[in-house]
PDB file of all heavy atoms in Angstrom:
ATOM      1  N   CYS A  63     111.260 133.954  71.559  1.00 96.00           N
ATOM      2  CA  CYS A  63     111.752 134.677  72.740  1.00 96.00           C
ATOM      3  C   CYS A  63     111.252 136.109  72.726  1.00 96.00           C
ATOM      4  O   CYS A  63     110.811 136.641  73.749  1.00 96.00           O
ATOM      5  CB  CYS A  63     113.279 134.625  72.796  1.00 96.00           C
ATOM      6  SG  CYS A  63     113.903 132.970  73.179  1.00 96.00           S
ATOM      7  N   ASN A  64     111.293 136.735  71.564  1.00 96.00           N
ATOM      8  CA  ASN A  64     110.876 138.137  71.478  1.00 96.00           C
ATOM      9  C   ASN A  64     109.374 138.278  71.714  1.00 96.00           C
ATOM     10  O   ASN A  64     108.932 139.183  72.413  1.00 96.00           O
ATOM     11  CB  ASN A  64     111.261 138.708  70.111  1.00 96.00           C
ATOM     12  CG  ASN A  64     111.225 140.220  70.103  1.00 96.00           C
ATOM     13  OD1 ASN A  64     111.360 140.861  71.139  1.00 96.00           O
ATOM     14  ND2 ASN A  64     111.022 140.796  68.937  1.00 96.00           N
ATOM     15  N   ARG A  65     108.612 137.341  71.191  1.00 95.00           N
ATOM     16  CA  ARG A  65     107.149 137.420  71.338  1.00 95.00           C
ATOM     17  C   ARG A  65     106.740 137.304  72.808  1.00 95.00           C
ATOM     18  O   ARG A  65     105.937 138.070  73.313  1.00 95.00           O
ATOM     19  CB  ARG A  65     106.479 136.307  70.537  1.00 95.00           C
ATOM     20  CG  ARG A  65     104.949 136.327  70.691  1.00 95.00           C
ATOM     21  CD  ARG A  65     104.322 135.026  70.238  1.00 95.00           C
ATOM     22  NE  ARG A  65     104.597 134.766  68.825  1.00 95.00           N
ATOM     23  CZ  ARG A  65     104.475 133.566  68.261  1.00 95.00           C
ATOM     24  NH1 ARG A  65     104.092 132.529  68.973  1.00 95.00           N
ATOM     25  NH2 ARG A  65     104.733 133.402  66.993  1.00 95.00           N
ATOM     26  N   TYR A  66     107.311 136.333  73.505  1.00 95.00           N
ATOM     27  CA  TYR A  66     106.894 136.131  74.897  1.00 95.00           C
ATOM     28  C   TYR A  66     107.442 137.214  75.818  1.00 95.00           C
ATOM     29  O   TYR A  66     106.831 137.544  76.820  1.00 95.00           O
ATOM     30  CB  TYR A  66     107.283 134.734  75.388  1.00 95.00           C
ATOM     31  CG  TYR A  66     106.529 133.644  74.668  1.00 95.00           C
ATOM     32  CD1 TYR A  66     107.185 132.676  73.919  1.00 95.00           C
ATOM     33  CD2 TYR A  66     105.127 133.611  74.721  1.00 95.00           C
ATOM     34  CE1 TYR A  66     106.474 131.694  73.237  1.00 95.00           C
ATOM     35  CE2 TYR A  66     104.414 132.632  74.042  1.00 95.00           C
ATOM     36  CZ  TYR A  66     105.092 131.677  73.309  1.00 95.00           C
ATOM     37  OH  TYR A  66     104.386 130.704  72.630  1.00 95.00           O
ATOM     38  N   LYS A  67     108.570 137.759  75.459  1.00 96.00           N
ATOM     39  CA  LYS A  67     109.135 138.827  76.299  1.00 96.00           C
ATOM     40  C   LYS A  67     108.290 140.086  76.145  1.00 96.00           C
ATOM     41  O   LYS A  67     108.021 140.777  77.124  1.00 96.00           O
ATOM     42  CB  LYS A  67     110.590 139.090  75.902  1.00 96.00           C
ATOM     43  CG  LYS A  67     111.276 140.134  76.781  1.00 96.00           C
ATOM     44  CD  LYS A  67     112.779 140.105  76.560  1.00 96.00           C
ATOM     45  CE  LYS A  67     113.496 141.107  77.436  1.00 96.00           C
ATOM     46  NZ  LYS A  67     113.781 142.370  76.760  1.00 96.00           N
ATOM     47  N   GLY A  68     107.878 140.353  74.912  1.00 94.00           N
ATOM     48  CA  GLY A  68     107.066 141.545  74.677  1.00 94.00           C
ATOM     49  C   GLY A  68     107.757 142.791  75.203  1.00 94.00           C
ATOM     50  O   GLY A  68     108.951 142.960  75.003  1.00 94.00           O
ATOM     51  N   SER A  69     107.004 143.628  75.907  1.00 94.00           N
ATOM     52  CA  SER A  69     107.621 144.842  76.448  1.00 94.00           C
ATOM     53  C   SER A  69     107.992 144.665  77.921  1.00 94.00           C
ATOM     54  O   SER A  69     108.390 145.609  78.591  1.00 94.00           O
ATOM     55  CB  SER A  69     106.681 146.040  76.269  1.00 94.00           C
ATOM     56  OG  SER A  69     105.501 145.812  77.020  1.00 94.00           O
ATOM     57  N   ASP A  70     107.884 143.418  78.434  1.00 95.00           N
ATOM     58  CA  ASP A  70     108.236 143.162  79.838  1.00 95.00           C
ATOM     59  C   ASP A  70     109.740 143.328  80.053  1.00 95.00           C
ATOM     60  O   ASP A  70     110.529 143.086  79.143  1.00 95.00           O
ATOM     61  CB  ASP A  70     107.866 141.724  80.234  1.00 95.00           C
ATOM     62  CG  ASP A  70     106.355 141.486  80.269  1.00 95.00           C
ATOM     63  OD1 ASP A  70     105.597 142.442  80.036  1.00 95.00           O
ATOM     64  OD2 ASP A  70     105.959 140.343  80.527  1.00 95.00           O
ATOM     65  N   ILE A  71     110.103 143.696  81.252  1.00 95.00           N
ATOM     66  CA  ILE A  71     111.535 143.790  81.574  1.00 95.00           C
ATOM     67  C   ILE A  71     111.889 143.040  82.866  1.00 95.00           C
ATOM     68  O   ILE A  71     113.046 142.911  83.226  1.00 95.00           O
ATOM     69  CB  ILE A  71     112.008 145.265  81.687  1.00 95.00           C
ATOM     70  CG1 ILE A  71     111.186 146.052  82.722  1.00 95.00           C
ATOM     71  CG2 ILE A  71     111.923 145.949  80.324  1.00 95.00           C
ATOM     72  CD1 ILE A  71     111.687 147.466  82.944  1.00 95.00           C
ATOM     73  N   ALA A  72     110.857 142.564  83.573  1.00 95.00           N
ATOM     74  CA  ALA A  72     111.078 141.893  84.860  1.00 95.00           C
ATOM     75  C   ALA A  72     109.829 141.099  85.202  1.00 95.00           C
ATOM     76  O   ALA A  72     108.794 141.233  84.545  1.00 95.00           O
ATOM     77  CB  ALA A  72     111.343 142.933  85.950  1.00 95.00           C
ATOM     78  N   THR A  73     109.953 140.277  86.246  1.00 96.00           N
ATOM     79  CA  THR A  73     108.770 139.579  86.753  1.00 96.00           C
ATOM     80  C   THR A  73     108.947 139.344  88.250  1.00 96.00           C
ATOM     81  O   THR A  73     110.003 139.622  88.807  1.00 96.00           O
ATOM     82  CB  THR A  73     108.532 138.244  86.007  1.00 96.00           C
ATOM     83  OG1 THR A  73     107.271 137.707  86.435  1.00 96.00           O
ATOM     84  CG2 THR A  73     109.609 137.219  86.306  1.00 96.00           C
ATOM     85  N   LEU A  74     107.908 138.823  88.879  1.00 96.00           N
ATOM     86  CA  LEU A  74     107.972 138.535  90.306  1.00 96.00           C
ATOM     87  C   LEU A  74     108.344 137.075  90.524  1.00 96.00           C
ATOM     88  O   LEU A  74     107.955 136.211  89.733  1.00 96.00           O
ATOM     89  CB  LEU A  74     106.601 138.806  90.956  1.00 96.00           C
ATOM     90  CG  LEU A  74     106.086 140.229  90.856  1.00 96.00           C
ATOM     91  CD1 LEU A  74     104.644 140.286  91.360  1.00 96.00           C
ATOM     92  CD2 LEU A  74     106.959 141.188  91.658  1.00 96.00           C
ATOM     93  N   ILE A  75     109.073 136.801  91.576  1.00 92.00           N
ATOM     94  CA  ILE A  75     109.246 135.413  91.999  1.00 92.00           C
ATOM     95  C   ILE A  75     107.852 134.941  92.425  1.00 92.00           C
ATOM     96  O   ILE A  75     107.194 135.625  93.209  1.00 92.00           O
ATOM     97  CB  ILE A  75     110.248 135.309  93.180  1.00 92.00           C
ATOM     98  CG1 ILE A  75     111.647 135.689  92.705  1.00 92.00           C
ATOM     99  CG2 ILE A  75     110.226 133.896  93.766  1.00 92.00           C
ATOM    100  CD1 ILE A  75     112.718 135.562  93.791  1.00 92.00           C
ATOM    101  N   PRO A  76     107.391 133.792  91.886  1.00 91.00           N
ATOM    102  CA  PRO A  76     106.029 133.354  92.198  1.00 91.00           C
ATOM    103  C   PRO A  76     105.763 133.334  93.710  1.00 91.00           C
ATOM    104  O   PRO A  76     106.597 132.857  94.483  1.00 91.00           O
ATOM    105  CB  PRO A  76     105.977 131.935  91.613  1.00 91.00           C
ATOM    106  CG  PRO A  76     106.982 131.969  90.509  1.00 91.00           C
ATOM    107  CD  PRO A  76     108.081 132.876  90.988  1.00 91.00           C
ATOM    108  N   GLY A  77     104.630 133.876  94.089  1.00 93.00           N
ATOM    109  CA  GLY A  77     104.246 133.877  95.502  1.00 93.00           C
ATOM    110  C   GLY A  77     104.943 134.947  96.334  1.00 93.00           C
ATOM    111  O   GLY A  77     104.790 134.963  97.552  1.00 93.00           O
ATOM    112  N   THR A  78     105.704 135.809  95.697  1.00 94.00           N
ATOM    113  CA  THR A  78     106.387 136.875  96.450  1.00 94.00           C
ATOM    114  C   THR A  78     106.119 138.222  95.771  1.00 94.00           C
ATOM    115  O   THR A  78     105.461 138.279  94.733  1.00 94.00           O
ATOM    116  CB  THR A  78     107.921 136.676  96.490  1.00 94.00           C
ATOM    117  OG1 THR A  78     108.462 137.052  95.213  1.00 94.00           O
ATOM    118  CG2 THR A  78     108.298 135.251  96.797  1.00 94.00           C
ATOM    119  N   THR A  79     106.664 139.274  96.357  1.00 95.00           N
ATOM    120  CA  THR A  79     106.591 140.589  95.706  1.00 95.00           C
ATOM    121  C   THR A  79     107.981 141.002  95.246  1.00 95.00           C
ATOM    122  O   THR A  79     108.231 142.161  94.963  1.00 95.00           O
ATOM    123  CB  THR A  79     106.033 141.644  96.680  1.00 95.00           C
ATOM    124  OG1 THR A  79     106.832 141.619  97.873  1.00 95.00           O
ATOM    125  CG2 THR A  79     104.574 141.371  97.026  1.00 95.00           C
ATOM    126  N   GLU A  80     108.880 140.018  95.195  1.00 95.00           N
ATOM    127  CA  GLU A  80     110.257 140.339  94.795  1.00 95.00           C
ATOM    128  C   GLU A  80     110.376 140.400  93.279  1.00 95.00           C
ATOM    129  O   GLU A  80     110.117 139.420  92.577  1.00 95.00           O
ATOM    130  CB  GLU A  80     111.234 139.306  95.365  1.00 95.00           C
ATOM    131  CG  GLU A  80     112.665 139.792  95.274  1.00 95.00           C
ATOM    132  CD  GLU A  80     113.676 138.774  95.822  1.00 95.00           C
ATOM    133  OE1 GLU A  80     113.259 137.864  96.564  1.00 95.00           O
ATOM    134  OE2 GLU A  80     114.846 138.896  95.478  1.00 95.00           O
ATOM    135  N   LEU A  81     110.776 141.573  92.814  1.00 97.00           N
ATOM    136  CA  LEU A  81     110.874 141.822  91.376  1.00 97.00           C
ATOM    137  C   LEU A  81     112.251 141.375  90.862  1.00 97.00           C
ATOM    138  O   LEU A  81     113.275 141.775  91.403  1.00 97.00           O
ATOM    139  CB  LEU A  81     110.681 143.316  91.116  1.00 97.00           C
ATOM    140  CG  LEU A  81     110.408 143.748  89.681  1.00 97.00           C
ATOM    141  CD1 LEU A  81     109.108 143.123  89.163  1.00 97.00           C
ATOM    142  CD2 LEU A  81     110.340 145.269  89.599  1.00 97.00           C
TER     143      LEU A  81
END
Side-chain angles (χ1 to χ4, degrees):
C63 290
N64 196 25
R65 178 196 299 162
Y66 294 119
K67 183 166 181 264
S69 63
D70 292 357
I71 56 175
T73 187
L74 299 172
I75 293 182
T78 76
T79 54
E80 194 181 342
L81 195 61

